Amino acid sequence: PPVPQGEGMPETEKGSLTTHVLNTATGLPAAGLAVRLARLQEPGTGWTELVQRWTDKDGRCQPLLAPGQATAGTYKLHFETAAYWQGLGHTSFYPFVEVVFTITDPVQKLHVPLLISPYSYTTYRGS
């Protein structure tokens, strides 16, 4: 497909939902961390798992939702932080981190970064 004017990335590589994980104790990307995406079933409280990925050496993974895959609704990113910290020889206060968010505009690109240490985490809506 043609590259939209002003965009630096072909549409096939532009995900509508991306994440990256940074180890704030070392200042380095968190590589090899499992990330799962689930969508809340409406109505109800059950979650449907959509995809699982692992972070690469840059703490990033392939887009969790590709362009056109997102629909309005409530989603959850589940980060397997305990296994990551155990792999580094550390224990973690948080066995996993779940970030729940709502997609209201399915065509808008969303980026949800996670900053982790053994005893804290922070997330925000990135760009």
Side-chain angles (χ1 to χ4, degrees):
V3 176
Q5 197 163 15
E7 299 286 332
M9 200 180 288
E11 198 58 37
T12 55
E13 295 174 22
K14 235 184 112 156
S16 62
L17 175 62
T18 56
T19 188
H20 80 270
V21 185
L22 179 70
N23 177 339
T24 58
T26 62
L28 299 172
L33 193 145
V35 182
R36 295 195 310 266
L37 174 68
R39 187 177 194 280
L40 184 63
Q41 299 166 359
E42 300 290 349
T45 58
W47 294 91
T48 301
E49 188 169 314
L50 303 175
V51 67
Q52 179 167 342
R53 304 260 192 264
W54 283 266
T55 57
D56 63 15
K57 64 181 177 62
D58 294 321
R60 300 175 186 274
C61 57
Q62 290 294 314
L64 294 148
L65 289 174
Q69 277 191 312
T71 56
T74 301
Y75 291 81
K76 170 173 67 175
L77 282 171
H78 177 100
F79 298 87
E80 289 289 342
T81 52
Y84 168 77
W85 290 115
Q86 285 169 4
L88 296 177
H90 296 288
T91 56
S92 173
F93 182 69
Y94 300 101
F96 56 84
V97 173
E98 290 188 332
V99 179
V100 180
F101 56 95
T102 303
I103 294 178
T104 54
D105 181 1
V107 299
Q108 190 171 35
K109 183 184 185 311
L110 292 176
H111 184 63
V112 183
L114 180 68
L115 312 177
I116 59 170
S117 81
Y119 299 100
S120 68
Y121 67 88
T122 303
T123 184
Y124 58 96
R125 181 179 175 169
S127 58

